[in-house]
Amino acid sequence: GSLLPGDRLPPERALTNMMGVSRSSVREAIMKLECLGFVSQRQGEGTFVRSATAGPITDMMQELIKDDDFIFDLMEIRAVLETWGAAEAADQAAEEDIAAMQACLEDMRRARGEGPMGHELNFRLHFLISTASRNRFLAHMMNCISTWVKQVTQKVYSDLYDDREIYSKLLAQHTAIVDAITR
């Protein structure tokens, strides 16, 4: 639950130590994950997490996102999923989930004072919340939606994250969400 699409898995040797299994077991697991489309191996570079939403659906969504009505539909679904996910995270989150969310908030605070903030930290926090729900389907759905929400954000709110006042409000809202999940 802590690796995002594009992130590199630890090397096989580290995975064997982390999991307490043989190297052949790790290799077999990675091959199965690759067959299922969850990871891809790059010669000389390592094994990387793949998006579960890659492929034809992405192409279809690329066309739909051009429609303003679809953008509103997407944001409505996002609100429903994120609200439910936060409620589930409040029930299911482990201490390490809370610590990761708090660390992300701290990174957001630090970014506020260092220049252009972008929206990657915002999406990371939402991903952490969805994975803390312990609902794997929700985590994949939020990853899927975040890809398109990023595009919408860039299209509609291109300067949103560079406005210090707006960013401070967003940070306060995100802090309140994490505080509620923690309580």
Side-chain angles (χ1 to χ4, degrees):
S2 61
L3 297 176
L4 298 170
D7 286 352
R8 184 174 179 264
L9 267 61
E12 282 182 9
R13 187 169 309 203
L15 288 171
T16 60
N17 292 334
M18 289 168 53
M19 305 291 177
V21 296
S22 69
R23 217 162 168 181
S24 62
S25 294
V26 168
R27 284 188 186 130
E28 183 179 339
I30 289 174
M31 285 191 319
K32 285 182 181 179
L33 289 171
E34 187 169 34
C35 287
L36 292 169
F38 291 113
V39 300
S40 63
Q41 295 187 56
R42 297 183 204 151
Q43 190 66 25
E45 293 182 47
T47 304
F48 295 83
V49 176
R50 290 188 61 211
S51 171
T53 60
I57 193 169
T58 300
D59 297 337
M60 178 190 73
M61 294 297 283
Q62 288 299 105
E63 287 304 311
L64 289 173
I65 203 125
K66 295 174 185 174
D67 179 5
D68 289 341
D69 290 335
F70 177 76
I71 292 172
F72 292 114
D73 292 345
L74 175 64
M75 297 313 246
E76 285 176 347
I77 286 298
R78 177 185 177 211
V80 169
L81 291 174
E82 286 185 349
T83 301
W84 181 83
E88 287 299 302
D91 288 337
Q92 302 294 327
E95 287 182 27
E96 59 267 15
D97 296 318
I98 300 295
M101 288 181 231
Q102 294 288 354
C104 187
L105 284 174
E106 188 54 40
D107 289 344
M108 292 171 90
R109 286 183 195 99
R110 197 173 13 264
R112 180 180 56 193
E114 293 178 357
M117 292 152 284
H119 50 269
E120 286 75 21
L121 290 171
N122 180 45
F123 288 107
R124 177 167 282 283
L125 181 62
H126 286 275
F127 178 77
L128 291 169
I129 292 169
S130 68
T131 57
S133 75
R134 298 295 182 262
N135 185 304
R136 291 174 292 178
F137 187 71
L138 176 66
H140 283 285
M141 288 299 299
M142 291 309 299
N143 180 61
C144 172
I145 288 172
S146 72
T147 300
W148 303 309
V149 170
K150 284 179 189 178
Q151 291 179 17
V152 171
T153 301
Q154 289 170 344
K155 180 178 175 182
V156 179
Y157 304 109
S158 59
D159 297 326
L160 178 70
Y161 292 96
D162 290 330
D163 183 312
R164 298 273 184 246
E165 186 177 331
I166 292 173
Y167 189 82
S168 293
K169 289 178 184 177
L170 288 171
L171 180 57
Q173 291 170 356
H174 286 97
T175 300
I177 292 167
V178 172
D179 289 348
I181 290 170
T182 302
R183 283 192 307 281

